Amino acid sequence: MVRTYKKKTDPADIFLRAARDIRNGISSIRKAAADYNINYKILSRFCKKVTPEELANNITKVQMGYQKPRQVFSEEEEMQLENYLKKAADIYFGLTPKEVKRLAYDYAKALGKVMPQKWIDTLMAGPDWFSGFLKRHPRLSIRTPQSTSLSRATSFNRTNVAAFFDNLANLFDRYSFRPTDIYNMDETGVTTVQRPDRIVARKGFRQIGAITSAERGTLVTVAIAVSASGNSIPPLFIFPRVHFKDHFLRGAPAGSIGAANRSGWMNNDIFLTFMKHLVATVKCTKKSPILLLLDNLDSHLSIASLNFAKDNGVVMLSFPPHCSHKMQPLDRSVFYSLKKFINSNCDSWLRTNPGKTITIYDIPGIVGNALPLALVPNNVTSGFKVSGIYPFNRDIFSDQDFLPSYVTDRPNPNQESANLLQPVEMTTNTLSPSTSAQAESWSSTSASSASTISAIESAFSPEAIRPLPKAQERKNTKQQRKKRKSAILTDTPVKDELEAEQVARANKAGKPKRNLFSENFSVSSNKKKKYQRKQHKQESSSEEEETFCLVCDGNYSYSKDSWLQCTRCKRWAHEKCANRNLFYVCHNCDSDDDDDSS
C-alpha cells in the first residue's frame, strides 16, 4: 500500500448536489456525472445508498472513495504516547525509533489491542505505523541529541541556581554594581586543527574532504573577560611550553599577554598573572570595586589570587558546579561564535599558505582576527541577559530548563511528603496504584508535567509499562571529593575555609606546613633533589627543542653541528657562527660592553 496516498474522491457536498439534480429530474446520471466531473459508477452507487432525508438536510453518512485505515491506538492513547516521548526527551533520556516501536508493541499488548501479525513476529511496531504516527503528531520529530554529561544534567537544579542568585542579589545590594563593573572570565581551548566549514560540492559522493593541519592538534588556552556593558579586556594566551617568549604573541590583539605551561592549561601562577592584568586594565580599587564571575576551577581558588583580588577591589563570585552551560555569559553567547570564526580563519590561513601547517605561534594571529567579530557588544550583553545576571532576573529559567534534573530530584527530608506532593486530578478507579504513584512523583517536579499527566484516562499508560529513569540515593563513601557550590570567594569566611582546605591537602601530600603560599619555601632534602632532577630533565629537553642560534636563528632540533654557550648571557649559537671561540661572548653582550665603555 502506498504510504503517502492522497484522497482523490470529490467532496460529499458535490455528490449531494448531483444526486439532488437526479432525484428532481433535472439531469440523468450520466449528464450529472459529466456536469460535476464525477465518475459515473461512483455516482450511481451513491444515489442508491443516499436517502431523501439526507438530501433534504444536505448531510449524508454514506462513505465514498478511500477510507481511513484501521488504527491500533485511539487518539487518546496516541496522545499519551506522545506526552511520554516528550517527557523522556525533556529529561535527556529520549527513545530511539527502534525503542519507540518496541514501546508501541508493549503498549498495545498491555491494552489488549488487535495487532498485525508482523508486530507479533518481530515484537515491535512496523515502519508504516511509525511513519504514520509521526505524521499524525507533527510536534514530534527525529532529532540528533547533543551530548550532555550527567553532572551537567543533574547539577543544574533549582537549589543550586537559587543559591547563586541569592549571592548575586546580596552583592548587588552591598556594592550597587553598574554594568561596566560586572565581568565574566573563562578559558577556552584553541587547537591547531580546525573543524572545516561547510562547502559546496558535487552530489553523488559520500565523503567530501577538506585540508587540516594534522590529525591531532596542539592546544593553546585563551583566557577572556567581558563586561555586562559589552566591553572586554585583551586576552591571555597560555602556550604548552616551559618558558614564554615575546615572539609567541605575534599577531595577537593589542594589549594581550602570554604565559607558558607544560600542559598549556591554567594554573595558580598564571591565574594570578591574569588577575594582575585585569586589575591593571580595569583600574579597579577598593573604593571602586568590580564583580568577577567565574567557575570553580581549582586554579581560580588559589589563596594568592584571592588575596590579591581582595586587596585590589575585585569581588569574586563563583557559579554553581557544572552549570556554566546555562549560567555563564561567555558560554551562552561568545564562545560558540568565536570558535566558528576561528575555524573560518584557519581555513583562510591554509588557503593563503598552501603546503604549510598551523602551529601554536600562528594561533594568536588567528584569534586576533576572529575575536573582534565574536566580541560584538550586542553579542556580549545578550549573554548576560539570557543568564539573568544583568538585568537581574532570578526567574529567567523555566520549568522546562530544570527537567533534566528530574532523574536525581528527591523531596526535602525535613518536610512532610504530603506538603511536597500535589495530588493529580484523575479518577482513582481507572488507575492502577503504580500508575498513580508515578503520576504523583512526576507532578512534584513541575506543574506543566502535572497537567499533562492529568489527561490520563485509561488503566494503562506508557509510563506504567516503561517507567522513566530515577536514580537511587547515593551511598556515603569514606573518601569523597569536596563538593563545591556557588560562593562569594573573596568573603573572609569562604577564603579562610579554602585556605584551610588547601593547607590540609598540602600537608597530606607531604608539602611543608608553613610558608605554603610564598614563592620561596623549603622541602625535605630527598624530595627536593628528586624534584630538581625531574625539573632539570624536563626543562632541558624543552629548552633544546625551542633553542635558536643567536647569529643565524637556526633551530637546535634540526641542527647536527656543535653549539657554544655565551659565557655572560648563557644563550647558545652554532660553533661555526661563533668563529669557534671557546670563550664565546655573543655580539649582544659585546655591544653592551662597548656602550658601557663609551
Side-chain angles (χ1 to χ4, degrees), residues 120-410:
I120 302 175
D121 296 338
T122 59
L123 300 181
M124 66 174 63
D128 292 337
W129 174 87
F130 183 71
S131 60
F133 177 74
L134 293 181
K135 291 178 181 178
R136 292 189 296 272
H137 300 274
R139 288 176 292 182
L140 297 177
S141 63
I142 301 177
R143 304 284 299 276
T144 301
Q146 183 179 0
S147 300
T148 305
S149 65
L150 180 64
S151 300
R152 283 194 171 190
T154 57
S155 296
F156 186 75
N157 51 54
R158 290 190 177 277
T159 303
N160 293 338
V161 174
F164 169 77
F165 280 109
D166 290 342
N167 292 331
L168 185 61
N170 182 16
L171 292 177
F172 280 161
D173 296 338
R174 207 191 305 179
Y175 295 99
S176 300
F177 289 115
R178 300 170 299 174
T180 54
D181 302 330
I182 305 173
Y183 282 83
N184 173 219
M185 175 267 172
D186 195 19
E187 304 91 354
T188 184
V190 181
T191 179
T192 56
V193 176
Q194 85 283 9
R195 183 177 180 180
D197 286 339
R198 301 176 65 182
I199 61 174
V200 179
R202 67 172 66 193
K203 290 184 177 181
F205 284 83
R206 187 175 184 86
Q207 185 175 5
I208 302 296
I211 297 297
T212 58
S213 293
E215 296 291 338
R216 299 180 62 182
T218 306
L219 189 72
V220 175
T221 302
V222 182
I224 302 174
V226 296
S227 69
S229 61
N231 298 325
S232 62
I233 69 171
L236 163 68
F237 292 88
I238 307 175
F239 296 89
R241 291 292 181 267
V242 176
H243 301 291
F244 171 75
K245 307 295 182 181
D246 292 337
H247 69 270
F248 290 179
L249 295 177
R250 183 179 66 251
S256 301
I257 62 174
N261 185 17
R262 288 187 180 88
S263 63
W265 300 338
M266 180 72 76
N267 59 19
N268 295 345
D269 297 333
I270 298 178
F271 182 69
L272 180 58
T273 303
F274 179 83
M275 292 298 299
K276 295 178 181 178
H277 173 60
L278 174 66
V279 171
T281 305
V282 180
K283 308 295 184 183
C284 57
T285 59
K286 286 187 175 181
K287 296 182 179 179
S288 179
I290 63 172
L291 173 62
L292 181 62
L293 305 170
L294 70 175
D295 54 23
N296 282 287
L297 190 66
D298 287 341
S299 59
H300 298 169
L301 306 179
S302 64
I303 300 302
S305 300
L306 295 180
N307 290 333
F308 177 82
K310 189 171 184 179
D311 295 339
N312 291 272
V314 180
V315 181
M316 299 173 63
L317 173 63
S318 63
F319 292 106
H322 309 293
C323 295
S324 59
H325 64 294
K326 289 282 190 180
M327 306 187 67
Q328 183 160 243
L330 283 171
D331 284 340
R332 294 297 301 270
S333 63
V334 175
F335 282 161
Y336 176 79
S337 56
L338 176 61
K339 293 296 183 65
K340 186 176 180 181
F341 290 128
I342 287 176
N343 291 333
S344 299
N345 278 273
C346 288
D347 290 339
S348 302
W349 192 96
L350 290 175
R351 292 189 184 96
T352 308
N353 302 273
K356 297 182 180 181
T357 59
I358 300 176
T359 64
I360 60 174
Y361 310 111
D362 300 316
I363 293 297
I366 295 174
V367 174
N369 295 330
L371 201 60
L373 302 177
L375 295 180
V376 179
N378 291 337
N379 194 22
V380 175
T381 55
S382 64
F384 285 87
K385 183 177 180 181
V386 297
S387 56
I389 295 176
Y390 190 86
F392 181 80
N393 184 8
R394 64 167 58 245
D395 300 323
I396 191 67
F397 301 108
S398 62
D399 295 336
Q400 194 78 11
D401 298 321
F402 296 109
L403 283 181
S405 62
Y406 160 78
V407 181
T408 54
D409 277 350
R410 295 181 184 85

Side-chain angles (χ1 to χ4, degrees), residues 489-500:
L489 302 177
T490 49
D491 280 358
T492 302
V494 178
K495 189 170 69 66
D496 293 343
E497 182 181 355
L498 289 173
E499 184 173 359

